[in-house]
Amino acid sequence: MITITGFEPFRGEKVNPSMVIAEELDGKVIFGEEVKGVVLPVSYKKAKPIVESLVREKPKLLLSLGLSPKTTCVRLEVVALNIAHSEKGDNDGYKPFNETIYEDGDLAYRGTLPFNTILKALRGKGIPSILSFHAGTFLCNYVYYVALYNARSKNIRIGFLHIPHLTDYAVKKPEVPSLPKELIIKAVKIIIEESLKNSV
């Protein structure tokens, strides 16, 4: 089984592309594995137990997606920090200020995907993509860290992907960076294939 997570809309946005992708791929079979698509709440307190339970299910790959409204490409996040910080707050209005996610956790954990191989494959297929080493301190970094912390002793591939808005959405808001939905789905499929081919 492969688990792919996205987020519900937040901060006035009507659409979250990560949710669209997770819902679109739910139930599909990619590289011989069935995909479970999960939409996470934009809530520190609600998302944590959900991600912990997803790790306990021991999928072969847990790939989380999140919206980065200003990014112009697919961003493979390599590192998650043990920090929750948001002065604007989540959808519940909760505003963690320089909080530690797990008291006994390391300051940072590296994702467990073959990032260099994936990046080469993505660019080889004409998908604009980069490695990123800071996923912020909002919910994207939060769920990534929660997943990596809980998967430390488990043989699970864990990764996070930041994506821009989808082109369909940008037709109404042409000033925002975007990529076609088909291209994002293609990128996710490449990430899955390369991760499972190079499984630990």
Side-chain angles (χ1 to χ4, degrees), residues 13 69 71 165-166 169-171 173-178:
E13 297 284 2
T71 195
H165 278 291
L166 304 180
Y169 177 81
V171 170
K173 295 185 70 174
E175 72 279 6
V176 302
S178 68

Side-chain angles (χ1 to χ4, degrees), residues 18-156:
S18 66
M19 176 183 74
V20 174
I21 301 300
E23 291 179 337
E24 179 109 356
L25 294 177
D26 182 45
K28 298 287 194 301
V29 176
I30 302 175
F31 206 67
E33 296 289 335
E34 185 172 351
V35 175
K36 175 181 179 178
V38 179
V39 178
L40 299 173
V42 180
S43 163
Y44 288 97
K45 294 178 180 178
K46 294 174 184 173
K48 191 173 189 177
I50 296 174
V51 175
E52 289 172 339
S53 69
L54 292 176
V55 173
R56 284 196 296 271
E57 292 175 359
K58 296 183 180 178
K60 288 188 176 180
L61 168 65
L62 173 56
L63 179 65
S64 295
L65 280 66
L67 168 64
S68 180
K70 295 181 180 179
T71 195
T72 57
C73 63
V74 168
R75 278 173 43 200
L76 294 160
E77 298 295 348
V78 179
V79 177
L81 300 176
N82 193 9
I83 298 169
H85 181 83
S86 174
E87 295 192 38
K88 292 183 179 179
D90 62 14
N91 281 359
D92 294 334
Y94 182 62
K95 301 177 180 180
F97 192 91
N98 195 23
E99 290 184 8
T100 299
I101 300 172
Y102 289 102
E103 290 296 336
D104 63 340
D106 293 346
L107 174 61
Y109 292 118
R110 292 179 67 95
T112 54
L113 304 187
F115 291 106
N116 293 357
T117 302
I118 290 171
L119 184 67
K120 183 178 179 180
L122 288 172
R123 290 180 174 177
K125 294 295 184 180
I127 299 173
S129 47
I130 61 169
L131 297 184
S132 171
F133 298 88
H134 190 1
T137 56
F138 194 43
L139 262 295
C140 291
N141 173 79
Y142 186 80
V143 301
Y144 195 16
Y145 189 91
V146 169
L148 287 168
Y149 173 89
N150 285 280
R152 288 169 299 168
S153 60
K154 298 177 176 64
N155 189 23
I156 305 172

